[in-house]
Amino acid sequence: MRKKMIVFSLLIAISHAFSLVGETYKVPATTETTTLGLFTLNKPPVVKICSGDTVSMETWNSCLHVMVFNKTTPADVAKFYQEHDIQKRRGMHTLTGPVYIEGAEPGDVLEIRILDIKLNDFGYNFLSPTQGILSEFTKPRIKYFKYDKKNNTTEFVKGVCLHLKPFPGILAVAPPLDWPQEWPVNMQPSMGQPVTGEFNSVPPGPFGGNLDQPELQAGSILFLPVFQKGALVWTGDSHAMQSNGEIDITALETSYEAITLQFIVRKDLKAEGVLDKTKRKGGNAFSWPIIENSTHWMIVGLNVDLFEAMKLASRNAIDFLVRTQGLTPEESYQFLSMVGDFEIAEAVNVIKNVTVHIPKEPFKGIGKTSTLCSEGTFPLKAPKVNLDAPCIPQEGITVE
């Protein structure tokens, strides 16, 4: 009997593993597959896939790919912003999508695996006098960077070598129709949803979006609650690297030859806050974004007020530890005060992002959850960074 049970369990595991090996699709960035600064519910899907399938998506840089290496000026960007009513009406991000996942229903959780990112050859940082956290830098400037893709490096100034760590600034499912007024972020409704069914890409939310979370590199996973049938996934605001905080309003902005994502619909992880408004103020972790890599879980808190964002992250992290590790709420609060690292991932996108990093290592001895992944083991590996890689002389210039 025991042998039969073991064989049966193995068959289930093998069957589940095969269910995660789906089809692979490619989505180019074109005028038909991209949208400027809005998540729109009326845009037809660029592709329809099944749970377990993989999609390789091309992305453009911000401002509909108009940024030209060493040529586009701050005045050009200002003109583009004025012509397209950037900020109040829409964001500046160029979004590829949406991807429709069959079987994804409101209240489910979507597991998005970042399998690979292939950079294009240049990027830029735009110092804005009005949008960053400081006001004393009054002159806008764009600093361009050419990449050494072979060594995955770029030179900041002569002798200062940067190791590129690409990640999507935006990875989102379609927002809920009651965003943002029915969510505890304290933002003006018109900033989040200027027109019914059209959502500004600048402020992040429970749907993910402009999280600007540097940990979302290849080898990581983002878990998002599903609000609309099919989930409807966009990506954009592609980055080659970014600090926590992004204080001058931009990272090393770029575009991707391809970002390869695998999508898995999770019916076993319930985002109760999608349909129950009482579950949104913290204490229901899966109603908000969760990030996982091989060593940590990262629980997100979002609010226009930094301290309120930290409190939301704390409450969601307490709920996460109670659900996954069997701690009491009091024990979880104490554990986070001793071990959890609270980082300001984003300070400049109207809504602030405070993320608490919870290491997995302390829980190895209790036999509880070691991963949220559907297989029960974390399946991804992050690319290795060669800290000895050289930097070629920088071709990029600064334009004012």
Side-chain angles (χ1 to χ4, degrees), residues 119-143:
L119 285 165
N120 278 316
D121 63 350
F122 85 95
Y124 58 93
N125 177 270
F126 178 43
L127 186 159
S128 170
T130 60
Q131 300 297 317
I133 69 168
L134 301 177
S135 58
E136 58 262 42
F137 298 96
T138 58
K139 191 172 184 179
R141 69 201 314 249
I142 301 173
K143 188 172 177 62

mmCIF file of all heavy atoms in Angstrom, residues 119-143:
data_model
loop_
_atom_site.group_PDB
_atom_site.id
_atom_site.type_symbol
_atom_site.label_atom_id
_atom_site.label_comp_id
_atom_site.label_asym_id
_atom_site.label_seq_id
_atom_site.Cartn_x
_atom_site.Cartn_y
_atom_site.Cartn_z
ATOM 1 N N LEU A 119 18.780 43.012 -23.013
ATOM 2 C CA LEU A 119 18.828 44.462 -23.190
ATOM 3 C C LEU A 119 19.037 44.859 -24.638
ATOM 4 O O LEU A 119 19.674 44.136 -25.410
ATOM 5 C CB LEU A 119 19.986 45.039 -22.374
ATOM 6 C CG LEU A 119 19.818 45.146 -20.858
ATOM 7 C CD1 LEU A 119 21.184 45.370 -20.219
ATOM 8 C CD2 LEU A 119 18.871 46.283 -20.497
ATOM 9 N N ASN A 120 18.520 46.039 -25.011
ATOM 10 C CA ASN A 120 19.002 46.727 -26.197
ATOM 11 C C ASN A 120 20.321 47.412 -25.842
ATOM 12 O O ASN A 120 20.882 47.162 -24.777
ATOM 13 C CB ASN A 120 17.950 47.694 -26.726
ATOM 14 C CG ASN A 120 16.909 46.977 -27.578
ATOM 15 O OD1 ASN A 120 17.251 46.135 -28.405
ATOM 16 N ND2 ASN A 120 15.640 47.288 -27.355
ATOM 17 N N ASP A 121 20.842 48.295 -26.691
ATOM 18 C CA ASP A 121 22.254 48.681 -26.538
ATOM 19 C C ASP A 121 22.499 50.006 -25.826
ATOM 20 O O ASP A 121 23.649 50.373 -25.602
ATOM 21 C CB ASP A 121 22.947 48.699 -27.901
ATOM 22 C CG ASP A 121 22.353 49.740 -28.851
ATOM 23 O OD1 ASP A 121 21.288 50.317 -28.521
ATOM 24 O OD2 ASP A 121 22.958 49.977 -29.908
ATOM 25 N N PHE A 122 21.430 50.765 -25.454
ATOM 26 C CA PHE A 122 21.699 52.025 -24.768
ATOM 27 C C PHE A 122 20.576 52.353 -23.798
ATOM 28 O O PHE A 122 19.470 51.797 -23.853
ATOM 29 C CB PHE A 122 21.887 53.169 -25.770
ATOM 30 C CG PHE A 122 20.590 53.824 -26.215
ATOM 31 C CD1 PHE A 122 20.122 54.971 -25.565
ATOM 32 C CD2 PHE A 122 19.848 53.304 -27.267
ATOM 33 C CE1 PHE A 122 18.940 55.571 -25.973
ATOM 34 C CE2 PHE A 122 18.663 53.907 -27.669
ATOM 35 C CZ PHE A 122 18.212 55.047 -27.023
ATOM 36 N N GLY A 123 20.882 53.301 -22.897
ATOM 37 C CA GLY A 123 19.893 53.795 -21.959
ATOM 38 C C GLY A 123 20.219 55.223 -21.565
ATOM 39 O O GLY A 123 21.171 55.824 -22.079
ATOM 40 N N TYR A 124 19.448 55.772 -20.633
ATOM 41 C CA TYR A 124 19.639 57.165 -20.240
ATOM 42 C C TYR A 124 19.056 57.392 -18.847
ATOM 43 O O TYR A 124 18.196 56.654 -18.372
ATOM 44 C CB TYR A 124 18.953 58.108 -21.238
ATOM 45 C CG TYR A 124 17.465 57.845 -21.378
ATOM 46 C CD1 TYR A 124 16.543 58.536 -20.598
ATOM 47 C CD2 TYR A 124 16.988 56.889 -22.273
ATOM 48 C CE1 TYR A 124 15.192 58.284 -20.703
ATOM 49 C CE2 TYR A 124 15.646 56.625 -22.391
ATOM 50 C CZ TYR A 124 14.735 57.326 -21.605
ATOM 51 O OH TYR A 124 13.404 57.057 -21.702
ATOM 52 N N ASN A 125 19.540 58.443 -18.195
ATOM 53 C CA ASN A 125 18.966 58.924 -16.946
ATOM 54 C C ASN A 125 18.574 60.371 -17.151
ATOM 55 O O ASN A 125 19.390 61.190 -17.565
ATOM 56 C CB ASN A 125 19.961 58.794 -15.785
ATOM 57 C CG ASN A 125 19.404 59.346 -14.489
ATOM 58 O OD1 ASN A 125 19.571 60.519 -14.188
ATOM 59 N ND2 ASN A 125 18.741 58.494 -13.724
ATOM 60 N N PHE A 126 17.316 60.680 -16.850
ATOM 61 C CA PHE A 126 16.793 62.031 -17.022
ATOM 62 C C PHE A 126 16.634 62.683 -15.660
ATOM 63 O O PHE A 126 15.815 62.255 -14.845
ATOM 64 C CB PHE A 126 15.455 61.972 -17.757
ATOM 65 C CG PHE A 126 14.798 63.321 -17.961
ATOM 66 C CD1 PHE A 126 15.550 64.409 -18.362
ATOM 67 C CD2 PHE A 126 13.435 63.484 -17.775
ATOM 68 C CE1 PHE A 126 14.959 65.651 -18.563
ATOM 69 C CE2 PHE A 126 12.830 64.720 -17.964
ATOM 70 C CZ PHE A 126 13.586 65.810 -18.361
ATOM 71 N N LEU A 127 17.447 63.683 -15.369
ATOM 72 C CA LEU A 127 17.337 64.437 -14.125
ATOM 73 C C LEU A 127 16.277 65.516 -14.320
ATOM 74 O O LEU A 127 16.441 66.427 -15.128
ATOM 75 C CB LEU A 127 18.682 65.065 -13.765
ATOM 76 C CG LEU A 127 18.810 65.784 -12.415
ATOM 77 C CD1 LEU A 127 20.282 65.887 -12.014
ATOM 78 C CD2 LEU A 127 18.186 67.172 -12.424
ATOM 79 N N SER A 128 15.175 65.375 -13.554
ATOM 80 C CA SER A 128 14.089 66.349 -13.657
ATOM 81 C C SER A 128 14.129 67.315 -12.485
ATOM 82 O O SER A 128 14.159 66.891 -11.329
ATOM 83 C CB SER A 128 12.732 65.636 -13.681
ATOM 84 O OG SER A 128 11.683 66.569 -13.551
ATOM 85 N N PRO A 129 14.103 68.626 -12.737
ATOM 86 C CA PRO A 129 14.127 69.598 -11.646
ATOM 87 C C PRO A 129 12.836 69.634 -10.835
ATOM 88 O O PRO A 129 12.799 70.180 -9.734
ATOM 89 C CB PRO A 129 14.336 70.938 -12.354
ATOM 90 C CG PRO A 129 14.640 70.625 -13.760
ATOM 91 C CD PRO A 129 14.141 69.259 -14.048
ATOM 92 N N THR A 130 11.749 69.081 -11.375
ATOM 93 C CA THR A 130 10.440 69.203 -10.724
ATOM 94 C C THR A 130 9.890 67.902 -10.170
ATOM 95 O O THR A 130 8.965 67.921 -9.359
ATOM 96 C CB THR A 130 9.410 69.769 -11.719
ATOM 97 O OG1 THR A 130 9.297 68.878 -12.844
ATOM 98 C CG2 THR A 130 9.823 71.139 -12.205
ATOM 99 N N GLN A 131 10.440 66.761 -10.576
ATOM 100 C CA GLN A 131 9.839 65.489 -10.212
ATOM 101 C C GLN A 131 10.637 64.681 -9.194
ATOM 102 O O GLN A 131 10.101 63.756 -8.581
ATOM 103 C CB GLN A 131 9.634 64.626 -11.469
ATOM 104 C CG GLN A 131 8.738 65.270 -12.509
ATOM 105 C CD GLN A 131 7.335 65.495 -12.005
ATOM 106 O OE1 GLN A 131 6.751 64.653 -11.351
ATOM 107 N NE2 GLN A 131 6.781 66.660 -12.314
ATOM 108 N N GLY A 132 11.927 64.966 -9.004
ATOM 109 C CA GLY A 132 12.735 64.230 -8.036
ATOM 110 C C GLY A 132 12.461 64.691 -6.616
ATOM 111 O O GLY A 132 11.606 65.548 -6.356
ATOM 112 N N ILE A 133 13.226 64.170 -5.650
ATOM 113 C CA ILE A 133 12.958 64.502 -4.250
ATOM 114 C C ILE A 133 13.645 65.805 -3.824
ATOM 115 O O ILE A 133 13.324 66.356 -2.776
ATOM 116 C CB ILE A 133 13.383 63.357 -3.303
ATOM 117 C CG1 ILE A 133 14.913 63.197 -3.268
ATOM 118 C CG2 ILE A 133 12.702 62.055 -3.685
ATOM 119 C CD1 ILE A 133 15.379 62.285 -2.149
ATOM 120 N N LEU A 134 14.579 66.308 -4.643
ATOM 121 C CA LEU A 134 15.293 67.544 -4.307
ATOM 122 C C LEU A 134 14.904 68.655 -5.275
ATOM 123 O O LEU A 134 14.610 68.394 -6.440
ATOM 124 C CB LEU A 134 16.803 67.322 -4.344
ATOM 125 C CG LEU A 134 17.360 66.259 -3.401
ATOM 126 C CD1 LEU A 134 18.863 66.092 -3.613
ATOM 127 C CD2 LEU A 134 17.059 66.593 -1.942
ATOM 128 N N SER A 135 14.940 69.886 -4.786
ATOM 129 C CA SER A 135 14.531 71.026 -5.610
ATOM 130 C C SER A 135 15.689 71.936 -5.997
ATOM 131 O O SER A 135 15.510 72.872 -6.781
ATOM 132 C CB SER A 135 13.478 71.855 -4.865
ATOM 133 O OG SER A 135 13.993 72.313 -3.626
ATOM 134 N N GLU A 136 16.890 71.680 -5.451
ATOM 135 C CA GLU A 136 17.997 72.598 -5.732
ATOM 136 C C GLU A 136 18.659 72.375 -7.091
ATOM 137 O O GLU A 136 19.452 73.211 -7.541
ATOM 138 C CB GLU A 136 19.067 72.527 -4.627
ATOM 139 C CG GLU A 136 19.669 71.148 -4.411
ATOM 140 C CD GLU A 136 19.019 70.435 -3.244
ATOM 141 O OE1 GLU A 136 17.782 70.518 -3.126
ATOM 142 O OE2 GLU A 136 19.740 69.778 -2.466
ATOM 143 N N PHE A 137 18.354 71.261 -7.746
ATOM 144 C CA PHE A 137 18.901 71.026 -9.087
ATOM 145 C C PHE A 137 17.871 71.539 -10.096
ATOM 146 O O PHE A 137 16.872 70.879 -10.368
ATOM 147 C CB PHE A 137 19.215 69.545 -9.294
ATOM 148 C CG PHE A 137 20.255 69.031 -8.344
ATOM 149 C CD1 PHE A 137 19.892 68.388 -7.169
ATOM 150 C CD2 PHE A 137 21.601 69.216 -8.606
ATOM 151 C CE1 PHE A 137 20.849 67.926 -6.279
ATOM 152 C CE2 PHE A 137 22.565 68.762 -7.730
ATOM 153 C CZ PHE A 137 22.192 68.112 -6.560
ATOM 154 N N THR A 138 18.104 72.705 -10.624
ATOM 155 C CA THR A 138 17.079 73.423 -11.373
ATOM 156 C C THR A 138 17.178 73.267 -12.889
ATOM 157 O O THR A 138 16.304 73.743 -13.613
ATOM 158 C CB THR A 138 17.148 74.923 -11.036
ATOM 159 O OG1 THR A 138 18.457 75.418 -11.350
ATOM 160 C CG2 THR A 138 16.855 75.153 -9.555
ATOM 161 N N LYS A 139 18.232 72.624 -13.356
ATOM 162 C CA LYS A 139 18.418 72.488 -14.798
ATOM 163 C C LYS A 139 18.269 71.028 -15.214
ATOM 164 O O LYS A 139 18.990 70.160 -14.726
ATOM 165 C CB LYS A 139 19.803 73.007 -15.202
ATOM 166 C CG LYS A 139 19.990 73.149 -16.710
ATOM 167 C CD LYS A 139 21.302 73.854 -17.035
ATOM 168 C CE LYS A 139 21.446 74.081 -18.525
ATOM 169 N NZ LYS A 139 22.702 74.775 -18.870
ATOM 170 N N PRO A 140 17.337 70.726 -16.127
ATOM 171 C CA PRO A 140 17.178 69.331 -16.561
ATOM 172 C C PRO A 140 18.366 68.876 -17.401
ATOM 173 O O PRO A 140 18.987 69.672 -18.110
ATOM 174 C CB PRO A 140 15.901 69.364 -17.394
ATOM 175 C CG PRO A 140 15.826 70.765 -17.907
ATOM 176 C CD PRO A 140 16.410 71.627 -16.818
ATOM 177 N N ARG A 141 18.660 67.583 -17.321
ATOM 178 C CA ARG A 141 19.752 67.031 -18.131
ATOM 179 C C ARG A 141 19.481 65.556 -18.380
ATOM 180 O O ARG A 141 18.852 64.863 -17.578
ATOM 181 C CB ARG A 141 21.110 67.232 -17.441
ATOM 182 C CG ARG A 141 21.289 66.400 -16.189
ATOM 183 C CD ARG A 141 22.363 66.912 -15.221
ATOM 184 N NE ARG A 141 23.613 67.276 -15.815
ATOM 185 C CZ ARG A 141 24.769 66.600 -15.640
ATOM 186 N NH1 ARG A 141 24.775 65.487 -14.913
ATOM 187 N NH2 ARG A 141 25.880 67.042 -16.159
ATOM 188 N N ILE A 142 19.945 65.095 -19.517
ATOM 189 C CA ILE A 142 19.843 63.680 -19.876
ATOM 190 C C ILE A 142 21.244 63.142 -20.054
ATOM 191 O O ILE A 142 22.027 63.661 -20.862
ATOM 192 C CB ILE A 142 19.037 63.475 -21.174
ATOM 193 C CG1 ILE A 142 17.620 64.046 -21.031
ATOM 194 C CG2 ILE A 142 18.966 61.985 -21.523
ATOM 195 C CD1 ILE A 142 16.819 64.032 -22.312
ATOM 196 N N LYS A 143 21.572 62.111 -19.309
ATOM 197 C CA LYS A 143 22.883 61.463 -19.419
ATOM 198 C C LYS A 143 22.679 60.117 -20.117
ATOM 199 O O LYS A 143 21.913 59.272 -19.638
ATOM 200 C CB LYS A 143 23.512 61.256 -18.030
ATOM 201 C CG LYS A 143 24.952 60.762 -18.060
ATOM 202 C CD LYS A 143 25.555 60.772 -16.659
ATOM 203 C CE LYS A 143 26.975 60.219 -16.647
ATOM 204 N NZ LYS A 143 27.891 61.035 -17.487
#
